[in-house]
Amino acid sequence: MIGRVLLGVLAVAAALTLPSPRWGEGGGEGVRISVSPAVVPQGGTVEVVVSGLGASRAWVRFAGRTWPLYESGGVWRTFLGTDPLTAPGRRGLTVEASGPSGTGVAVRAGLTVRRVAFPVRRITLAPDRRNLLDPRLAEEEGRKVAAALRTLSAERFWQGPFRIPVRGAVTSPYGVVSMYQGQIRGFHRGVDLAAPAGAPVYAANDGIVRLAGSLPLSGNAVLLDHGMGIVTSYLHQSKVFVRAGQRVRRGEIIGRVGSTGLSTGPHLHWGFRINGVHVDPMPWTR
C-alpha cells in the first residue's frame, strides 16, 4: 500500500529472487527483494521490501550508509533517501541480516539515481541578522537536533499521504542551492511555504513530538517522529503549541507561522528526513 500511495507515481518496482543466506547450517526457501521505484531523482525516496529472509535482524547498505529494515508479519521494509549529494548513476544496495548462526549477505540489487539540475537562490541578510551565519550556531543546532532524534520509533504511525502543513504556495522548493551573502551554504533541505504570520501550522501526519522549542537557526521548531525513520520538521514558527513526547494526529494544529531564526519573512519551512537524509517532502503528499 505504501508504494502505491506514496511512490507508485514515480516508477514500477524492480524485483528479484535469489537464494537465501545460510546461517551456518541454516538456509531458506529464497529471498525476494522489491525496490520501488527502480529510477529515482536526487531528493527522491526508494522503498525496499524484503520477504523470505528468516532472520532476527536485517539492514540495507546503500550510498555509504546503513539503513535499518523494519519487520512486520515476516516482511521487512525500509525507505532509502537520496539528496543532491547522492551520486547519480547506477547504484547498488545490499541487504544483510543476522540469524541464529551469525551474519550473512542476503541479496544484492540496484537502482538508478537520476541527476537533477537544482536552481540557485541568492539571499542577502540585513546587517543585524548576519551573525546567524556564524558556524558555531549551526554546530549548536546540530547537537540539539541529534539529541532529540537519538531515539526514534520503529513502529509506523503515519497513514496514507502526508498533508501539506500550511495553506500556501511553495516559494522555495527542495534542493535549491542556497547562497547567503554571495557564499554557497548548502542545499535547501525542505520546502518553503508562503503563509501570513500567525497562520496555523498543521501536523502532516500522525506522530510523536521529539523536539518542540527554539533553535539558533530554525527558530521555533517542531520535529515529529512518524516511525520507521521518518521525521518531519516545521521551522521558523512564531508559536509552538506542542511539547516533546506528545502524540499528535494528522491535521492537528501544532503552531503558528512566523519568521524566527534564519528567516527573511513569515513562512514555514517544512522538511522531511528519512533515517537522517533530507529528501523532497512533496512526493509524500501525493
Side-chain angles (χ1 to χ4, degrees), residues 129 165-166 193 195-203 209 211-215 217-224 232-243 252-263 265-271:
R129 311 207 80 181
V166 298
L193 299 165
V201 176
Y202 303 95
V209 179
L211 183 148
S214 179
L215 294 173
L217 304 181
S218 298
N220 294 327
V222 173
L223 302 183
L224 296 184
T232 55
S233 55
Y234 311 76
L235 311 183
H236 308 304
Q237 298 180 78
S238 59
K239 295 181 180 179
V240 168
F241 298 146
V242 293
R243 64 186 184 281
E252 183 175 340
I253 296 178
I254 59 174
R256 298 282 181 184
V257 170
S259 184
T260 55
L262 185 56
S263 170
H267 73 287
L268 181 76
H269 174 101
W270 182 40

Side-chain angles (χ1 to χ4, degrees), residues 1 7 13 26 38 44 77 87-88 95 100 112 135-136 144-145 150 156 158 187 196 207 212 221 237 253 261 272:
M1 181 182 72
L7 303 173
R77 185 189 310 271
V95 174
T112 298
R136 291 173 295 183
K144 290 182 176 179
V145 170
R150 186 168 292 124
R156 175 187 156 183
W158 86 90
F187 66 90
Q237 298 180 78
I253 296 178
F272 205 104

Side-chain angles (χ1 to χ4, degrees), residues 95-276:
V95 174
E96 299 179 1
S98 61
S101 301
T103 299
V105 175
V107 62
R108 291 182 176 88
L111 60 97
T112 298
V113 178
R114 177 170 55 82
R115 183 187 300 276
V116 176
F118 294 104
V120 176
R121 64 173 182 171
R122 293 172 172 82
I123 301 171
T124 301
L125 297 176
D128 63 345
R129 311 207 80 181
R130 292 175 187 171
N131 66 307
L132 293 174
L133 298 177
D134 186 334
R136 291 173 295 183
L137 295 180
E139 293 171 1
E140 176 188 346
E141 179 159 321
R143 289 192 298 269
K144 290 182 176 179
V145 170
L149 301 182
R150 186 168 292 124
T151 301
L152 297 176
S153 177
E155 179 184 355
R156 175 187 156 183
F157 301 126
W158 86 90
Q159 297 295 327
F162 284 63
R163 68 169 291 168
I164 298 175
V166 298
R167 298 185 178 96
V170 174
T171 56
S172 184
Y174 167 88
V176 172
V177 178
S178 300
M179 295 186 67
Y180 286 87
Q181 313 303 118
Q183 295 185 6
I184 295 177
R185 296 183 179 270
F187 66 90
H188 195 213
R189 297 181 173 185
V191 296
D192 286 347
L193 299 165
V201 176
Y202 303 95
N205 220 311
D206 296 2
I208 298 176
V209 179
R210 295 301 181 191
L211 183 148
S214 179
L215 294 173
L217 304 181
S218 298
N220 294 327
V222 173
L223 302 183
L224 296 184
D225 172 12
H226 302 282
M228 294 180 64
I230 308 291
V231 175
T232 55
S233 55
Y234 311 76
L235 311 183
H236 308 304
Q237 298 180 78
S238 59
K239 295 181 180 179
V240 168
F241 298 146
V242 293
R243 64 186 184 281
Q246 180 180 339
R247 291 287 295 264
V248 298
R249 305 286 292 180
R250 183 182 188 274
E252 183 175 340
I253 296 178
I254 59 174
R256 298 282 181 184
V257 170
S259 184
T260 55
L262 185 56
S263 170
T264 58
H267 73 287
L268 181 76
H269 174 101
W270 182 40
F272 205 104
R273 302 172 191 231
I274 299 180
N275 290 301

